[in-house]
């Protein structure tokens, strides 16, 4: 009898999944820190604030020794009601709590949406550039993702004209992120309404990633941005407690579903996840208290100040930002004038200046070689130091 040292054969899905380069650069940064170097980490979209104080206290209370059994697959009823109330109070949208599914992070919401909507061979339209995990999740369920080129003229976002041009007989849906990662730009309200209407007219589903919605700028009258649900009640909308509420490691998100999708997503959630973390759900109820919301609004204002610091700093060292962001906490800047590709720029910035960034290769093809993402989720002091280091680094490139 013979034995083999070879491991199991990997699936085509596993072999075809590209790495998330932001995390790769994060690992390299950690290795440099282990060697004793101070690295300014501007590569990961993780707010430095943590959860609001009321949420942390609620978690301590939840962990008092009480039993913490599974919740319903779609989440605690009171949390689903609180999320629906948030849409009513913040965004003026009436959402039935029965349409809200609480998930193990927004990633789980995207997995459930893809499982419910996508069959092998279905074509899905996604903007280029865009968050890489969105297309990887779609492809894991057999979708053929068509990356639609965008430009500064469309704010690096899909618009109705692009959807009309690229829609084919195989297209089954469109995925939009507004505000978007990596660019921090939003789709204008009228354009989002037109895009969703076009897809709906063609029988396609609309999946809208609103993870950064509540970090977007207010309008001239101080009103918050409108949710896609106000424009297209039939859209599937995904959101998260990670960004606005600063709860990245808590792994809690949600989606709002058309009524007809709820039973299918319930069944899928039962089989895939059972439920999201019970203590995290209990603590998240405190997110919607007046004190926690006021704290989050102060943080949103702080992100706006950090954005101004970064935009001024990049302009001062000759790294242009084609489209200033209006939400999230990312700046997508152009490095083509340095003579380096985005990958070379990020590698050398990390190695020589000890600043961790993310190359455009993570986000698509159109700007893969020319653009770099900077996350201003770090502190103002870290951002100022990072810009100073990048200034010295780019000066050596031009010398």
């Amino acid at each position: 009898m013979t034995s083999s040292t070879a491991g199991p054969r990997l699936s085509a899905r596993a072999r075809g999944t590209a790495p998330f380069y932001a995390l790769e650069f994060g690992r390299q940064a950690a290795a440099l820190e282990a060697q004793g170097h101070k690295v300014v980490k501007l590569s990961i979209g993780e707010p430095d604030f943590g959860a609001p104080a009321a949420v942390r206290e609620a978690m301590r209370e939840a962990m008092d020794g009480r039993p913490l059994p599974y919740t319903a697959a779609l989440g605690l009823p009171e949390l689903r009601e609180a999320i629906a109330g948030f849409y009513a109070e913040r965004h003026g949208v009436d959402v039935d709590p029965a349409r809200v599914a609480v998930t193990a992070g927004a990633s789980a919401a995207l997995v459930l949406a893809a499982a419910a909507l996508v069959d092998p061979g279905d074509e899905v339209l996604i903007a280029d550039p865009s968050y890489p995990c969105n297309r990887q999740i779609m492809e894991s369920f057999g979708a053929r993702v068509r990356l639609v080129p965008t430009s500064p003229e469309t704010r690096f976002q899909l618009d109705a004209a692009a959807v009309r041009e690229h829609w084919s007989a195989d297209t089954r849906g469109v995925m939009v992120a507004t505000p978007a990662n990596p660019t921090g730009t939003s789709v204008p309200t009228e354009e989002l309404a037109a895009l969703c209407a076009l897809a709906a007219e063609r029988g396609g589903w609309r999946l809208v990633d609103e993870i950064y919605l509540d970090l977007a700028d207010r309008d001239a009258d101080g009103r918050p941005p409108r949710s896609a649900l106000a424009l297209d009640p039939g859209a599937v909308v995904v959101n998260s407690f990670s960004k606005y509420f600063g709860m990245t490691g808590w792994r809690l998100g949600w989606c709002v579903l058309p009524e007809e999708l709820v039973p299918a997503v319930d069944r899928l959630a039962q089989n895939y996840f059972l439920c999201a973390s019970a203590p995290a759900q209990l603590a998240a109820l405190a997110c919607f208290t007046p004190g926690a919301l006021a704290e989050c609004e102060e943080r949103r204002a702080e992100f706006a100040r950090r954005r101004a610091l970064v935009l001024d700093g990049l302009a001062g060292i000759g790294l242009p930002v084609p489209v200033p962001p209006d939400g999230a906490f990312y700046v997508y800047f152009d490095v083509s004038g340095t003579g380096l590709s985005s990958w070379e720029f990020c590698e050398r910035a990390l190695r020589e200046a000890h600043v961790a960034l993310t190359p455009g290769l993570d986000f698509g093809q159109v700007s893969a070689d020319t653009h770099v993402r900077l996350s201003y989720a770090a502190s103002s002091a870290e951002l100022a130091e990072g810009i100073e280091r990048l200034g010295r680094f780019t000066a050596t490139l031009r010398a």
Side-chain angles (χ1 to χ4, degrees):
M1 184 174 180
T2 61
S3 62
S4 172
T5 58
R9 186 179 74 85
L10 291 176
S11 69
R13 181 185 305 105
R15 295 194 303 271
T17 299
F20 189 7
Y21 295 112
L23 297 181
E24 291 288 317
F25 275 89
R27 278 193 281 271
Q28 292 181 38
L32 282 171
E33 286 187 320
Q35 296 168 19
H37 299 288
K38 167 67 168 67
V39 178
V40 178
K41 289 175 279 192
L42 309 180
S43 55
I44 303 297
E46 184 164 42
D48 63 325
F49 302 115
V55 178
R56 299 196 302 271
E57 179 58 32
M59 177 59 91
R60 283 190 284 268
E61 292 178 8
M63 301 300 289
D64 62 1
R66 74 185 73 177
L68 292 167
Y70 299 128
T71 72
L74 297 187
L76 287 171
E78 54 266 45
L79 183 56
R80 298 166 75 187
E81 291 171 5
I83 292 168
F86 183 65
Y87 278 101
E89 294 169 16
R90 175 64 62 90
H91 298 290
V93 181
D94 184 18
V95 173
D96 183 348
R99 295 173 52 205
V100 177
V102 180
T103 58
S107 296
L110 291 168
V111 166
L112 291 169
L117 296 170
V118 172
D119 280 322
D122 287 354
E123 183 178 83
V124 178
L125 304 184
I126 300 179
D128 182 352
S130 59
Y131 181 58
C133 300
N134 290 352
R135 62 179 181 270
Q136 298 283 6
I137 289 170
M138 290 291 162
E139 289 174 346
S140 290
F141 285 91
R144 291 189 296 107
V145 172
R146 177 181 286 196
L147 288 176
V148 178
T150 64
S151 69
E153 288 68 36
T154 62
R155 302 179 54 73
F156 290 120
Q157 286 280 8
L158 289 180
D159 59 15
V163 170
R164 183 180 297 107
E165 177 185 351
H166 290 87
W167 197 280
S168 76
D170 295 325
T171 304
R172 295 293 176 267
V174 59
M175 184 173 185
V176 180
T178 178
N181 178 2
T183 62
T185 62
S186 301
V187 181
T189 300
E190 298 77 11
E191 195 62 56
L192 182 60
L195 184 161
C196 289
L198 175 65
E201 288 166 5
R202 299 182 179 208
W205 48 261
R206 293 80 61 206
L207 178 56
V208 184
D209 171 349
E210 292 186 343
I211 292 169
Y212 299 98
L213 180 67
D214 289 292
L215 289 176
D217 292 346
R218 284 9 186 185
D219 67 13
D221 296 320
R223 292 173 300 198
R226 299 182 73 188
S227 168
L229 294 169
L231 314 171
D232 180 4
V236 176
V237 167
V238 170
N239 211 317
S240 175
F241 287 91
S242 291
K243 309 304 182 179
Y244 180 68
F245 294 107
M247 296 166 62
T248 51
W250 298 58
R251 305 316 303 134
L252 202 62
W254 74 83
C255 56
V256 181
L257 304 160
E259 185 177 353
E260 60 272 19
L261 273 186
V262 172
V265 170
D266 192 4
R267 294 194 303 272
L268 290 163
Q270 292 168 18
N271 283 278
Y272 287 0
F273 304 108
L274 292 182
C275 67
S277 161
Q281 291 189 62
L282 287 167
L285 287 166
C287 287
F288 304 104
T289 58
L293 290 171
E295 188 176 347
C296 291
E297 280 300 290
E298 291 171 5
R299 295 171 173 187
R300 185 180 62 81
E302 172 60 20
F303 279 133
R305 290 188 287 270
R306 295 179 184 184
R307 177 178 60 194
L309 183 159
V310 169
L311 290 175
D312 288 347
L314 291 174
I317 61 176
L319 293 172
V321 178
V323 187
D326 62 342
F329 33 65
Y330 304 112
V331 172
Y332 203 51
F333 63 92
D334 188 343
V335 298
S336 57
T338 67
L340 301 178
S341 70
S342 68
W343 186 269
E344 292 167 334
F345 185 95
C346 289
E347 276 201 322
R348 290 188 57 181
L350 182 57
R351 185 173 66 248
E352 299 172 29
H354 296 158
V355 177
L357 301 161
T358 304
L361 183 63
D362 237 350
F363 307 108
Q365 302 167 359
V366 170
S367 51
D369 287 335
T370 57
H371 286 68
V372 165
R373 188 193 76 175
L374 179 153
S375 167
Y376 56 86
S379 70
S380 294
E382 288 280 286
L383 292 167
E385 183 176 354
I387 295 294
E388 182 181 353
R389 292 186 185 191
L390 288 175
R392 292 196 299 267
F393 168 62
T394 55
T396 65
L397 300 177
R398 299 184 178 106

